[in-house]
Structure formats: structure tokens, C-alpha cells
Short mmCIF file of all heavy atoms in Angstrom, two decimals:
data_model
loop_
_atom_site.label_atom_id
_atom_site.label_comp_id
_atom_site.label_asym_id
_atom_site.label_seq_id
_atom_site.Cartn_x
_atom_site.Cartn_y
_atom_site.Cartn_z
N MET A 1 -4.49 25.93 -9.33
CA MET A 1 -4.67 24.67 -10.06
C MET A 1 -6.09 24.64 -10.61
O MET A 1 -7.03 25.04 -9.94
CB MET A 1 -4.43 23.50 -9.11
CG MET A 1 -4.48 22.16 -9.80
SD MET A 1 -4.14 20.75 -8.72
CE MET A 1 -2.36 20.81 -8.67
N ASP A 2 -6.25 24.14 -11.83
CA ASP A 2 -7.60 24.11 -12.38
C ASP A 2 -8.39 22.91 -11.84
O ASP A 2 -7.83 21.94 -11.33
CB ASP A 2 -7.59 24.21 -13.90
CG ASP A 2 -7.31 22.92 -14.64
OD1 ASP A 2 -7.66 21.85 -14.13
OD2 ASP A 2 -6.77 22.99 -15.76
N THR A 3 -9.68 23.01 -11.95
CA THR A 3 -10.58 22.03 -11.34
C THR A 3 -10.35 20.62 -11.88
O THR A 3 -10.31 19.65 -11.11
CB THR A 3 -12.05 22.44 -11.55
OG1 THR A 3 -12.22 23.75 -11.01
CG2 THR A 3 -12.99 21.49 -10.86
N LYS A 4 -10.19 20.48 -13.20
CA LYS A 4 -9.98 19.15 -13.77
C LYS A 4 -8.72 18.50 -13.21
O LYS A 4 -8.72 17.31 -12.90
CB LYS A 4 -9.88 19.21 -15.30
CG LYS A 4 -11.22 19.24 -15.98
CD LYS A 4 -11.16 18.84 -17.44
CE LYS A 4 -10.47 19.87 -18.29
NZ LYS A 4 -10.60 19.59 -19.73
N LYS A 5 -7.65 19.28 -13.05
CA LYS A 5 -6.41 18.72 -12.52
C LYS A 5 -6.55 18.36 -11.04
O LYS A 5 -6.01 17.36 -10.59
CB LYS A 5 -5.26 19.70 -12.72
CG LYS A 5 -4.82 19.80 -14.16
CD LYS A 5 -3.67 20.75 -14.33
CE LYS A 5 -3.28 20.87 -15.80
NZ LYS A 5 -2.20 21.82 -16.00
N THR A 6 -7.29 19.17 -10.31
CA THR A 6 -7.53 18.88 -8.89
C THR A 6 -8.32 17.59 -8.74
O THR A 6 -7.96 16.72 -7.94
CB THR A 6 -8.28 20.04 -8.21
OG1 THR A 6 -7.49 21.23 -8.33
CG2 THR A 6 -8.55 19.74 -6.74
N ILE A 7 -9.38 17.47 -9.51
CA ILE A 7 -10.19 16.25 -9.47
C ILE A 7 -9.33 15.04 -9.83
O ILE A 7 -9.36 14.01 -9.15
CB ILE A 7 -11.41 16.35 -10.41
CG1 ILE A 7 -12.39 17.42 -9.92
CG2 ILE A 7 -12.11 14.99 -10.56
CD1 ILE A 7 -13.47 17.78 -10.93
N ALA A 8 -8.57 15.16 -10.90
CA ALA A 8 -7.72 14.06 -11.35
C ALA A 8 -6.77 13.60 -10.25
O ALA A 8 -6.64 12.40 -9.97
CB ALA A 8 -6.93 14.48 -12.59
N LYS A 9 -6.11 14.55 -9.63
CA LYS A 9 -5.15 14.23 -8.57
C LYS A 9 -5.83 13.55 -7.39
O LYS A 9 -5.37 12.53 -6.89
CB LYS A 9 -4.46 15.53 -8.12
CG LYS A 9 -3.43 15.33 -7.04
CD LYS A 9 -2.74 16.65 -6.72
CE LYS A 9 -1.64 16.47 -5.71
NZ LYS A 9 -2.00 16.86 -4.39
N ARG A 10 -6.94 14.10 -6.97
CA ARG A 10 -7.61 13.57 -5.78
C ARG A 10 -8.21 12.19 -6.01
O ARG A 10 -8.09 11.32 -5.18
CB ARG A 10 -8.66 14.56 -5.29
CG ARG A 10 -8.00 15.88 -4.91
CD ARG A 10 -8.50 16.45 -3.65
NE ARG A 10 -7.60 17.52 -3.21
CZ ARG A 10 -7.99 18.67 -2.77
NH1 ARG A 10 -9.27 18.94 -2.66
NH2 ARG A 10 -7.12 19.57 -2.38
N ILE A 11 -8.89 11.99 -7.16
CA ILE A 11 -9.51 10.68 -7.37
C ILE A 11 -8.46 9.60 -7.61
O ILE A 11 -8.66 8.45 -7.23
CB ILE A 11 -10.59 10.69 -8.46
CG1 ILE A 11 -10.03 10.99 -9.83
CG2 ILE A 11 -11.73 11.61 -8.08
CD1 ILE A 11 -11.03 10.85 -10.98
N THR A 12 -7.33 9.98 -8.20
CA THR A 12 -6.25 9.01 -8.38
C THR A 12 -5.68 8.60 -7.03
O THR A 12 -5.51 7.40 -6.75
CB THR A 12 -5.13 9.59 -9.27
OG1 THR A 12 -5.69 9.96 -10.53
CG2 THR A 12 -4.02 8.59 -9.48
N GLU A 13 -5.41 9.58 -6.18
CA GLU A 13 -4.87 9.28 -4.84
C GLU A 13 -5.85 8.43 -4.02
O GLU A 13 -5.45 7.44 -3.40
CB GLU A 13 -4.58 10.57 -4.08
CG GLU A 13 -3.40 11.34 -4.61
CD GLU A 13 -3.24 12.72 -3.97
OE1 GLU A 13 -4.13 13.16 -3.21
OE2 GLU A 13 -2.22 13.38 -4.26
N LEU A 14 -7.12 8.81 -4.03
CA LEU A 14 -8.12 8.07 -3.26
C LEU A 14 -8.28 6.64 -3.76
O LEU A 14 -8.38 5.70 -2.97
CB LEU A 14 -9.47 8.81 -3.29
CG LEU A 14 -9.52 10.12 -2.50
CD1 LEU A 14 -10.74 10.93 -2.88
CD2 LEU A 14 -9.49 9.84 -1.00
N ARG A 15 -8.29 6.47 -5.07
CA ARG A 15 -8.43 5.13 -5.64
C ARG A 15 -7.26 4.24 -5.24
O ARG A 15 -7.46 3.10 -4.78
CB ARG A 15 -8.53 5.21 -7.17
CG ARG A 15 -8.64 3.82 -7.83
CD ARG A 15 -8.69 3.91 -9.34
NE ARG A 15 -7.52 4.53 -9.94
CZ ARG A 15 -6.36 3.91 -10.11
NH1 ARG A 15 -6.18 2.67 -9.73
NH2 ARG A 15 -5.34 4.54 -10.68
N LYS A 16 -6.06 4.77 -5.35
CA LYS A 16 -4.87 3.98 -5.01
C LYS A 16 -4.80 3.68 -3.51
O LYS A 16 -4.44 2.57 -3.12
CB LYS A 16 -3.61 4.71 -5.47
CG LYS A 16 -3.48 4.70 -6.98
CD LYS A 16 -2.24 5.43 -7.45
CE LYS A 16 -2.11 5.36 -8.96
NZ LYS A 16 -0.92 6.06 -9.45
N GLU A 17 -5.16 4.66 -2.68
CA GLU A 17 -5.16 4.44 -1.22
C GLU A 17 -6.09 3.30 -0.83
O GLU A 17 -5.82 2.57 0.12
CB GLU A 17 -5.61 5.70 -0.48
CG GLU A 17 -4.59 6.79 -0.41
CD GLU A 17 -5.16 8.09 0.16
OE1 GLU A 17 -6.34 8.11 0.62
OE2 GLU A 17 -4.43 9.10 0.14
N ARG A 18 -7.19 3.17 -1.55
CA ARG A 18 -8.19 2.16 -1.21
C ARG A 18 -8.00 0.85 -1.97
O ARG A 18 -8.74 -0.11 -1.77
CB ARG A 18 -9.57 2.71 -1.42
CG ARG A 18 -9.76 3.83 -0.36
CD ARG A 18 -11.04 4.39 -0.28
NE ARG A 18 -11.32 5.38 0.74
CZ ARG A 18 -10.72 6.53 0.98
NH1 ARG A 18 -9.64 6.86 0.35
NH2 ARG A 18 -11.17 7.36 1.88
N GLY A 19 -7.03 0.81 -2.86
CA GLY A 19 -6.70 -0.42 -3.57
C GLY A 19 -7.66 -0.80 -4.69
O GLY A 19 -7.73 -1.97 -5.07
N PHE A 20 -8.38 0.17 -5.23
CA PHE A 20 -9.28 -0.10 -6.35
C PHE A 20 -8.54 -0.02 -7.67
O PHE A 20 -7.59 0.76 -7.81
CB PHE A 20 -10.42 0.93 -6.41
CG PHE A 20 -11.44 0.82 -5.33
CD1 PHE A 20 -11.68 1.89 -4.48
CD2 PHE A 20 -12.21 -0.32 -5.17
CE1 PHE A 20 -12.63 1.83 -3.48
CE2 PHE A 20 -13.17 -0.40 -4.18
CZ PHE A 20 -13.39 0.67 -3.33
N THR A 21 -9.01 -0.77 -8.66
CA THR A 21 -8.53 -0.60 -10.03
C THR A 21 -9.42 0.44 -10.70
O THR A 21 -10.52 0.74 -10.22
CB THR A 21 -8.62 -1.91 -10.83
OG1 THR A 21 -10.01 -2.28 -10.96
CG2 THR A 21 -7.82 -3.03 -10.17
N GLN A 22 -8.96 0.97 -11.81
CA GLN A 22 -9.79 1.90 -12.56
C GLN A 22 -11.07 1.22 -13.01
O GLN A 22 -12.14 1.83 -12.99
CB GLN A 22 -9.04 2.45 -13.77
CG GLN A 22 -7.97 3.45 -13.42
CD GLN A 22 -7.34 4.07 -14.65
OE1 GLN A 22 -7.44 3.56 -15.76
NE2 GLN A 22 -6.66 5.19 -14.45
N GLN A 23 -10.99 -0.04 -13.40
CA GLN A 23 -12.17 -0.77 -13.85
C GLN A 23 -13.20 -0.91 -12.73
O GLN A 23 -14.39 -0.74 -12.95
CB GLN A 23 -11.80 -2.15 -14.39
CG GLN A 23 -12.99 -2.91 -14.98
CD GLN A 23 -13.58 -2.19 -16.19
OE1 GLN A 23 -12.88 -1.98 -17.17
NE2 GLN A 23 -14.86 -1.83 -16.13
N GLN A 24 -12.74 -1.19 -11.52
CA GLN A 24 -13.67 -1.32 -10.40
C GLN A 24 -14.41 -0.01 -10.14
O GLN A 24 -15.63 0.00 -9.94
CB GLN A 24 -12.92 -1.75 -9.13
CG GLN A 24 -12.46 -3.18 -9.16
CD GLN A 24 -11.55 -3.51 -7.99
OE1 GLN A 24 -10.64 -2.75 -7.66
NE2 GLN A 24 -11.80 -4.66 -7.36
N VAL A 25 -13.68 1.10 -10.15
CA VAL A 25 -14.32 2.40 -9.92
C VAL A 25 -15.25 2.74 -11.07
O VAL A 25 -16.36 3.25 -10.86
CB VAL A 25 -13.28 3.51 -9.69
CG1 VAL A 25 -13.95 4.86 -9.53
CG2 VAL A 25 -12.42 3.19 -8.47
N ALA A 26 -14.85 2.44 -12.29
CA ALA A 26 -15.71 2.69 -13.44
C ALA A 26 -17.02 1.90 -13.31
O ALA A 26 -18.11 2.43 -13.56
CB ALA A 26 -14.99 2.31 -14.73
N ASP A 27 -16.93 0.65 -12.88
CA ASP A 27 -18.13 -0.17 -12.70
C ASP A 27 -19.04 0.41 -11.62
O ASP A 27 -20.26 0.48 -11.79
CB ASP A 27 -17.76 -1.61 -12.34
CG ASP A 27 -17.11 -2.37 -13.48
OD1 ASP A 27 -17.22 -1.93 -14.65
OD2 ASP A 27 -16.48 -3.42 -13.21
N ILE A 28 -18.46 0.83 -10.52
CA ILE A 28 -19.23 1.39 -9.41
C ILE A 28 -19.94 2.69 -9.82
O ILE A 28 -21.07 2.95 -9.40
CB ILE A 28 -18.32 1.62 -8.18
CG1 ILE A 28 -17.89 0.26 -7.61
CG2 ILE A 28 -19.02 2.47 -7.12
CD1 ILE A 28 -16.73 0.35 -6.62
N THR A 29 -19.28 3.48 -10.64
CA THR A 29 -19.84 4.78 -11.03
C THR A 29 -20.61 4.73 -12.35
O THR A 29 -21.04 5.78 -12.85
CB THR A 29 -18.72 5.85 -11.13
OG1 THR A 29 -17.74 5.42 -12.09
CG2 THR A 29 -18.07 6.09 -9.79
N ASN A 30 -20.75 3.54 -12.91
CA ASN A 30 -21.45 3.36 -14.19
C ASN A 30 -20.85 4.18 -15.32
O ASN A 30 -21.57 4.84 -16.08
CB ASN A 30 -22.95 3.67 -14.06
CG ASN A 30 -23.68 2.63 -13.26
OD1 ASN A 30 -23.30 1.46 -13.26
ND2 ASN A 30 -24.71 3.04 -12.56
N THR A 31 -19.53 4.17 -15.40
CA THR A 31 -18.84 4.81 -16.51
C THR A 31 -17.95 3.76 -17.16
O THR A 31 -17.70 2.70 -16.59
CB THR A 31 -17.96 5.99 -16.04
OG1 THR A 31 -17.00 5.51 -15.10
CG2 THR A 31 -18.76 7.10 -15.42
N SER A 32 -17.44 4.06 -18.33
CA SER A 32 -16.51 3.13 -18.97
C SER A 32 -15.13 3.31 -18.33
O SER A 32 -14.83 4.37 -17.75
CB SER A 32 -16.43 3.39 -20.47
OG SER A 32 -15.83 4.65 -20.71
N ARG A 33 -14.30 2.29 -18.45
CA ARG A 33 -12.95 2.41 -17.91
C ARG A 33 -12.19 3.50 -18.66
O ARG A 33 -11.42 4.26 -18.08
CB ARG A 33 -12.20 1.07 -17.99
CG ARG A 33 -10.94 1.11 -17.10
CD ARG A 33 -9.77 0.31 -17.62
NE ARG A 33 -9.41 0.60 -19.00
CZ ARG A 33 -8.65 1.63 -19.39
NH1 ARG A 33 -8.20 2.51 -18.52
NH2 ARG A 33 -8.35 1.80 -20.66
N SER A 34 -12.45 3.61 -19.94
CA SER A 34 -11.80 4.64 -20.74
C SER A 34 -12.15 6.05 -20.25
O SER A 34 -11.27 6.91 -20.09
CB SER A 34 -12.21 4.48 -22.20
OG SER A 34 -11.72 5.54 -22.97
N ALA A 35 -13.43 6.28 -19.99
CA ALA A 35 -13.86 7.59 -19.48
C ALA A 35 -13.24 7.85 -18.11
O ALA A 35 -12.73 8.95 -17.85
CB ALA A 35 -15.38 7.66 -19.40
N TYR A 36 -13.28 6.83 -17.25
CA TYR A 36 -12.70 7.03 -15.91
C TYR A 36 -11.21 7.34 -16.00
O TYR A 36 -10.71 8.21 -15.31
CB TYR A 36 -12.94 5.81 -15.00
CG TYR A 36 -12.40 6.09 -13.63
CD1 TYR A 36 -13.11 6.88 -12.74
CD2 TYR A 36 -11.12 5.68 -13.27
CE1 TYR A 36 -12.58 7.23 -11.51
CE2 TYR A 36 -10.58 6.01 -12.05
CZ TYR A 36 -11.31 6.79 -11.18
OH TYR A 36 -10.77 7.16 -9.97
N SER A 37 -10.52 6.65 -16.88
CA SER A 37 -9.09 6.91 -17.08
C SER A 37 -8.87 8.37 -17.49
O SER A 37 -7.92 9.02 -17.02
CB SER A 37 -8.53 5.97 -18.14
OG SER A 37 -7.20 6.28 -18.43
N GLN A 38 -9.75 8.88 -18.32
CA GLN A 38 -9.63 10.28 -18.76
C GLN A 38 -9.89 11.25 -17.61
O GLN A 38 -9.34 12.35 -17.60
CB GLN A 38 -10.58 10.55 -19.92
CG GLN A 38 -10.15 9.85 -21.19
CD GLN A 38 -11.13 10.05 -22.32
OE1 GLN A 38 -12.33 10.26 -22.10
NE2 GLN A 38 -10.64 9.98 -23.54
N TYR A 39 -10.71 10.86 -16.64
CA TYR A 39 -10.89 11.71 -15.45
C TYR A 39 -9.58 11.81 -14.68
O TYR A 39 -9.23 12.88 -14.20
CB TYR A 39 -11.96 11.15 -14.50
CG TYR A 39 -13.34 10.95 -15.07
CD1 TYR A 39 -14.17 9.98 -14.52
CD2 TYR A 39 -13.82 11.72 -16.12
CE1 TYR A 39 -15.45 9.79 -15.02
CE2 TYR A 39 -15.10 11.51 -16.62
CZ TYR A 39 -15.91 10.55 -16.07
OH TYR A 39 -17.18 10.35 -16.54
N GLU A 40 -8.88 10.70 -14.57
CA GLU A 40 -7.62 10.69 -13.81
C GLU A 40 -6.48 11.40 -14.52
O GLU A 40 -5.52 11.80 -13.88
CB GLU A 40 -7.21 9.25 -13.46
CG GLU A 40 -8.08 8.63 -12.39
CD GLU A 40 -7.47 7.37 -11.78
OE1 GLU A 40 -6.35 6.98 -12.15
OE2 GLU A 40 -8.14 6.79 -10.91
N THR A 41 -6.58 11.54 -15.82
CA THR A 41 -5.53 12.26 -16.56
C THR A 41 -5.93 13.70 -16.88
O THR A 41 -5.20 14.41 -17.57
CB THR A 41 -5.19 11.53 -17.88
OG1 THR A 41 -6.38 11.40 -18.67
CG2 THR A 41 -4.58 10.16 -17.61
N ALA A 42 -7.09 14.11 -16.38
CA ALA A 42 -7.62 15.47 -16.58
C ALA A 42 -7.92 15.78 -18.04
O ALA A 42 -7.97 16.93 -18.44
CB ALA A 42 -6.69 16.52 -15.98
N ASP A 43 -8.14 14.73 -18.85
CA ASP A 43 -8.55 14.94 -20.24
C ASP A 43 -10.06 15.12 -20.35
O ASP A 43 -10.54 15.56 -21.39
CB ASP A 43 -8.13 13.75 -21.10
CG ASP A 43 -6.62 13.66 -21.26
OD1 ASP A 43 -5.96 14.72 -21.25
OD2 ASP A 43 -6.10 12.54 -21.38
N ARG A 44 -10.75 14.77 -19.28
CA ARG A 44 -12.21 14.84 -19.26
C ARG A 44 -12.65 15.13 -17.84
O ARG A 44 -11.99 14.72 -16.89
CB ARG A 44 -12.75 13.48 -19.72
CG ARG A 44 -14.20 13.38 -19.93
CD ARG A 44 -14.50 12.02 -20.55
NE ARG A 44 -15.93 11.85 -20.70
CZ ARG A 44 -16.49 10.83 -21.30
NH1 ARG A 44 -15.72 9.87 -21.79
NH2 ARG A 44 -17.79 10.75 -21.39
N GLN A 45 -13.76 15.84 -17.69
CA GLN A 45 -14.26 16.17 -16.36
C GLN A 45 -15.52 15.35 -16.07
O GLN A 45 -16.42 15.29 -16.90
CB GLN A 45 -14.59 17.66 -16.29
CG GLN A 45 -14.91 18.13 -14.90
CD GLN A 45 -14.87 19.64 -14.81
OE1 GLN A 45 -14.01 20.28 -15.40
NE2 GLN A 45 -15.81 20.22 -14.09
N PRO A 46 -15.59 14.72 -14.90
CA PRO A 46 -16.78 13.92 -14.58
C PRO A 46 -18.01 14.81 -14.39
O PRO A 46 -17.91 15.96 -13.99
CB PRO A 46 -16.41 13.22 -13.27
CG PRO A 46 -15.24 13.93 -12.73
CD PRO A 46 -14.58 14.67 -13.85
N SER A 47 -19.16 14.22 -14.69
CA SER A 47 -20.43 14.93 -14.47
C SER A 47 -20.66 15.08 -12.97
O SER A 47 -20.02 14.40 -12.16
CB SER A 47 -21.58 14.13 -15.09
OG SER A 47 -21.78 12.93 -14.35
N ILE A 48 -21.59 15.91 -12.61
CA ILE A 48 -21.92 16.08 -11.20
C ILE A 48 -22.42 14.77 -10.60
O ILE A 48 -22.09 14.43 -9.46
CB ILE A 48 -22.91 17.26 -10.96
CG1 ILE A 48 -23.05 17.55 -9.47
CG2 ILE A 48 -24.26 16.96 -11.57
CD1 ILE A 48 -21.82 18.08 -8.80
N ASP A 49 -23.19 14.01 -11.37
CA ASP A 49 -23.67 12.72 -10.88
C ASP A 49 -22.51 11.77 -10.58
O ASP A 49 -22.52 11.08 -9.56
CB ASP A 49 -24.62 12.07 -11.89
CG ASP A 49 -25.95 12.79 -12.01
OD1 ASP A 49 -26.36 13.48 -11.04
OD2 ASP A 49 -26.59 12.68 -13.07
N THR A 50 -21.52 11.76 -11.45
CA THR A 50 -20.35 10.91 -11.22
C THR A 50 -19.54 11.41 -10.04
O THR A 50 -19.05 10.62 -9.24
CB THR A 50 -19.49 10.84 -12.50
OG1 THR A 50 -20.29 10.31 -13.58
CG2 THR A 50 -18.27 9.95 -12.30
N LEU A 51 -19.41 12.73 -9.91
CA LEU A 51 -18.71 13.28 -8.75
C LEU A 51 -19.38 12.87 -7.44
O LEU A 51 -18.71 12.53 -6.46
CB LEU A 51 -18.63 14.80 -8.84
CG LEU A 51 -17.59 15.38 -9.78
CD1 LEU A 51 -17.78 16.88 -9.92
CD2 LEU A 51 -16.18 15.05 -9.31
N ILE A 52 -20.70 12.87 -7.43
CA ILE A 52 -21.43 12.46 -6.23
C ILE A 52 -21.17 10.99 -5.93
O ILE A 52 -20.93 10.61 -4.78
CB ILE A 52 -22.94 12.76 -6.39
CG1 ILE A 52 -23.17 14.27 -6.38
CG2 ILE A 52 -23.75 12.07 -5.30
CD1 ILE A 52 -24.56 14.70 -6.82
N LYS A 53 -21.19 10.15 -6.96
CA LYS A 53 -20.90 8.72 -6.76
C LYS A 53 -19.48 8.52 -6.23
O LYS A 53 -19.24 7.67 -5.36
CB LYS A 53 -21.09 7.95 -8.07
CG LYS A 53 -22.54 7.83 -8.48
CD LYS A 53 -22.66 7.16 -9.83
CE LYS A 53 -24.10 7.17 -10.32
NZ LYS A 53 -24.23 6.60 -11.66
N LEU A 54 -18.53 9.28 -6.76
CA LEU A 54 -17.15 9.18 -6.28
C LEU A 54 -17.04 9.64 -4.83
O LEU A 54 -16.35 9.00 -4.02
CB LEU A 54 -16.22 9.99 -7.19
CG LEU A 54 -15.99 9.41 -8.59
CD1 LEU A 54 -15.34 10.45 -9.49
CD2 LEU A 54 -15.14 8.15 -8.51
N ALA A 55 -17.70 10.73 -4.50
CA ALA A 55 -17.68 11.23 -3.13
C ALA A 55 -18.28 10.20 -2.18
O ALA A 55 -17.75 9.96 -1.08
CB ALA A 55 -18.41 12.56 -3.03
N ASP A 56 -19.37 9.57 -2.59
CA ASP A 56 -19.99 8.52 -1.77
C ASP A 56 -19.04 7.33 -1.61
O ASP A 56 -18.88 6.80 -0.51
CB ASP A 56 -21.31 8.05 -2.38
CG ASP A 56 -22.43 9.07 -2.27
OD1 ASP A 56 -22.29 10.05 -1.49
OD2 ASP A 56 -23.44 8.90 -2.97
N LEU A 57 -18.43 6.92 -2.69
CA LEU A 57 -17.50 5.79 -2.66
C LEU A 57 -16.35 6.06 -1.70
O LEU A 57 -15.97 5.20 -0.90
CB LEU A 57 -16.96 5.51 -4.07
CG LEU A 57 -15.86 4.46 -4.19
CD1 LEU A 57 -16.38 3.08 -3.78
CD2 LEU A 57 -15.31 4.43 -5.61
N TYR A 58 -15.77 7.25 -1.79
CA TYR A 58 -14.59 7.57 -0.98
C TYR A 58 -14.93 8.23 0.35
O TYR A 58 -14.03 8.63 1.09
CB TYR A 58 -13.65 8.46 -1.79
CG TYR A 58 -13.10 7.76 -3.02
CD1 TYR A 58 -13.17 8.34 -4.27
CD2 TYR A 58 -12.51 6.51 -2.91
CE1 TYR A 58 -12.67 7.70 -5.40
CE2 TYR A 58 -12.02 5.86 -4.03
CZ TYR A 58 -12.10 6.46 -5.26
OH TYR A 58 -11.60 5.81 -6.36
N LYS A 59 -16.23 8.37 0.63
CA LYS A 59 -16.68 8.96 1.89
C LYS A 59 -16.03 10.32 2.14
O LYS A 59 -15.43 10.58 3.18
CB LYS A 59 -16.44 7.99 3.05
CG LYS A 59 -17.24 6.71 2.88
CD LYS A 59 -17.13 5.80 4.05
CE LYS A 59 -17.91 4.53 3.96
NZ LYS A 59 -18.45 4.07 2.74
N CYS A 60 -16.16 11.17 1.13
CA CYS A 60 -15.66 12.54 1.23
C CYS A 60 -16.70 13.44 0.58
O CYS A 60 -17.71 12.97 0.07
CB CYS A 60 -14.29 12.68 0.55
SG CYS A 60 -14.32 12.46 -1.24
N SER A 61 -16.45 14.72 0.59
CA SER A 61 -17.41 15.65 -0.03
C SER A 61 -17.01 15.93 -1.48
O SER A 61 -15.84 15.79 -1.87
CB SER A 61 -17.43 16.97 0.75
OG SER A 61 -16.20 17.65 0.59
N VAL A 62 -18.00 16.34 -2.25
CA VAL A 62 -17.72 16.79 -3.62
C VAL A 62 -16.79 18.01 -3.55
O VAL A 62 -15.90 18.16 -4.38
CB VAL A 62 -19.03 17.11 -4.38
CG1 VAL A 62 -18.75 17.78 -5.71
CG2 VAL A 62 -19.84 15.84 -4.58
N ASP A 63 -17.00 18.87 -2.53
CA ASP A 63 -16.12 20.03 -2.36
C ASP A 63 -14.66 19.60 -2.25
O ASP A 63 -13.78 20.25 -2.82
CB ASP A 63 -16.51 20.84 -1.12
CG ASP A 63 -17.68 21.76 -1.36
OD1 ASP A 63 -18.08 21.94 -2.54
OD2 ASP A 63 -18.20 22.31 -0.38
N TYR A 64 -14.40 18.53 -1.53
CA TYR A 64 -13.02 18.04 -1.42
C TYR A 64 -12.50 17.62 -2.80
O TYR A 64 -11.38 17.98 -3.18
CB TYR A 64 -12.92 16.87 -0.43
CG TYR A 64 -11.53 16.28 -0.42
CD1 TYR A 64 -10.49 16.94 0.23
CD2 TYR A 64 -11.25 15.11 -1.09
CE1 TYR A 64 -9.21 16.43 0.21
CE2 TYR A 64 -9.97 14.59 -1.12
CZ TYR A 64 -8.94 15.26 -0.47
OH TYR A 64 -7.66 14.75 -0.50
N LEU A 65 -13.31 16.86 -3.53
CA LEU A 65 -12.87 16.38 -4.85
C LEU A 65 -12.54 17.51 -5.80
O LEU A 65 -11.62 17.40 -6.61
CB LEU A 65 -13.92 15.47 -5.46
CG LEU A 65 -14.19 14.15 -4.74
CD1 LEU A 65 -15.30 13.38 -5.46
CD2 LEU A 65 -12.93 13.30 -4.64
N ILE A 66 -13.28 18.61 -5.72
CA ILE A 66 -13.04 19.72 -6.65
C ILE A 66 -12.11 20.79 -6.07
O ILE A 66 -11.84 21.79 -6.73
CB ILE A 66 -14.37 20.35 -7.14
CG1 ILE A 66 -15.12 21.03 -6.01
CG2 ILE A 66 -15.22 19.33 -7.85
CD1 ILE A 66 -16.33 21.84 -6.47
N GLY A 67 -11.64 20.59 -4.86
CA GLY A 67 -10.67 21.51 -4.28
C GLY A 67 -11.26 22.66 -3.51
O GLY A 67 -10.62 23.69 -3.31
N ARG A 68 -12.51 22.53 -3.05
CA ARG A 68 -13.18 23.59 -2.28
C ARG A 68 -13.52 23.11 -0.89
O ARG A 68 -14.67 23.08 -0.50
CB ARG A 68 -14.47 24.00 -2.99
CG ARG A 68 -14.28 24.74 -4.26
CD ARG A 68 -15.63 25.15 -4.79
NE ARG A 68 -16.47 25.61 -3.69
CZ ARG A 68 -17.18 26.72 -3.69
NH1 ARG A 68 -17.18 27.48 -4.73
NH2 ARG A 68 -17.90 27.06 -2.66
N TYR A 69 -12.55 22.76 -0.12
CA TYR A 69 -12.82 22.23 1.24
C TYR A 69 -12.41 23.21 2.29
O TYR A 69 -11.70 24.14 2.05
CB TYR A 69 -12.11 20.89 1.47
CG TYR A 69 -10.63 20.95 1.30
CD1 TYR A 69 -9.81 21.10 2.41
CD2 TYR A 69 -10.05 20.87 0.05
CE1 TYR A 69 -8.44 21.16 2.25
CE2 TYR A 69 -8.69 20.93 -0.10
CZ TYR A 69 -7.88 21.07 1.00
OH TYR A 69 -6.53 21.13 0.85
#
């Protein structure tokens, strides 16, 4: 599986498990809702800074988000 698809799958699952909306996660990570939506559909890959914010939010490692755990 490619990295963008892995990230998309994991951040979508984590967001839904925790009951966040895309807008809430976008606000927390300082991205637009449109950009965040593209992360979840694998149309766009988050920057390393955004990946770190997501890992902090979900209390997991960046390695987990990118499929290297």
C-alpha cells in the first residue's frame, strides 16, 4: 500500500473513533477543511509538521500514521 493511502486510512479511522469532524481536526492542525479532506481521500499528502500534529492529537507515532510501526 502506498504511503498516501495508508495515511488516509489511518487518519480517517482515528478521527471517526474519537468523534471529531474534519473541520475540528483541520482547526487543530491549522489546515483548511478542504486540505484535510484531501488527506483523507489520499489526493494530497500532509506535511511533516501536520503529521506531527496529527500524531500528537491521536497520541500515536508518525511511524504508525505512515505505516512504519
